[in-house]
Amino acid sequence: MTQKAQNTQNPRTDQPVLVIGGTGKTGRRVVDRLREQGVETRVASRSGETPFDWDDRGTWGAALEGVGAVYIVPLDLAPSRTPALVEQAVAGGVGRLVLLSARGADVPGYFGDSYDGTGPHMEGEIAVRASGVPWTVLRPGWFAQNFSEGVFRDGVMGGELALPAGDGAAAFVDADDIADVAVAALTRPGHEGQVYELSGPRALTVDDALAEIAKVTGRRAGYVPVPEQEFVAGLVAQGMSPEEAALWTDAMKPIRTSREAPVTDGVQRALGRAPRDFGTFVRKAADADAWTG
């Protein structure tokens, strides 16, 4: 069967979908949506229903056995494990791959001066593109949920969020939108060979985002911009390795430089609707008691 012929057929619905990283921010949302649609779904992670460990290839075979499609949340470490997984998945009969990548993955300098545009995310993208089966790549920017269930939440709760983000801005994307696009790519035709750049509908500075949260919750955290070296030193003092601390700091560069500010059309192209606004995210998170306690 030619690639063109493969790309025009409907996704299989009689085989399970494997969600790697199925307990994470996007993964668990993908799982919930698939199961709501009646799609048999395997939750794969070190702590999930289906044991899966990126560092233990002995766990991969059982997780992949008999599945028709895979949502891949990769391990963001070099060298990428994704190419080996893709090879094993396709050899085992998987017919569709949806990869969570990252905005700017192909842009030199996006994640710091040393980034040459060929990091682990791009290694994964190259692998799924060359897999010979229908594929879709998602490239989201910074998640709105980082303020409610991620790395920024402690600062919001503590009343002060100190970051090396300067006065830069980002079009924070709702993880619910990412999940909606992933599920569409896993279950409906028309998304094969697409790279979706995913963002929210407007750009906000970190201080803007905190003000939006305060408007709904009454909880006002102050934003404190800190120099990169000071931020790295703080993370190391908390027990993080210097290498990991440097990676975190580099990851902030797209906000600091406002390279995350431009609004992209990925959600509109994939779903035929506008992305969710940050204010909508805040109201939903507040209703779920994200900042209670």
Side-chain angles (χ1 to χ4, degrees), residues 99-107 110-111 122 125 129 136-142 171 173 177-178 181 194-201 259-260 262-271 273 275:
L99 174 69
L100 184 69
S101 184
R103 187 171 183 177
D106 61 341
V107 180
Y110 199 84
F111 301 108
M122 277 311 299
E125 288 195 25
R129 289 169 185 259
T136 310
V137 170
L138 314 185
R139 288 182 180 169
W142 274 85
V173 61
D177 281 340
I178 301 169
V181 174
Q194 296 294 317
V195 177
Y196 291 123
E197 303 274 354
L198 306 176
S199 79
R259 297 182 89 166
E260 292 271 311
V263 173
T264 61
D265 66 353
V267 173
Q268 183 69 46
R269 285 200 300 120
L271 303 175
R273 64 163 175 81

Side-chain angles (χ1 to χ4, degrees), residues 46-96:
R46 284 183 293 181
S47 59
E49 301 165 3
T50 301
F52 180 92
D53 187 336
W54 278 109
D55 289 323
D56 182 2
R57 292 186 61 167
T59 65
W60 297 4
L64 289 166
E65 185 176 0
V67 303
V70 184
Y71 176 60
I72 305 171
V73 178
L75 194 64
D76 190 13
L77 291 174
S80 173
R81 281 71 159 172
T82 305
L85 177 85
V86 167
E87 181 180 4
Q88 186 168 336
V90 173
V94 170
R96 184 167 297 257

Side-chain angles (χ1 to χ4, degrees), residues 28-67:
R28 71 173 186 273
R29 289 172 165 86
V30 170
V31 169
D32 289 345
R33 284 158 171 75
L34 288 171
R35 288 180 171 172
E36 286 169 4
Q37 294 181 21
V39 178
E40 184 180 350
T41 308
R42 291 184 190 168
V43 181
S45 71
R46 284 183 293 181
S47 59
E49 301 165 3
T50 301
F52 180 92
D53 187 336
W54 278 109
D55 289 323
D56 182 2
R57 292 186 61 167
T59 65
W60 297 4
L64 289 166
E65 185 176 0
V67 303

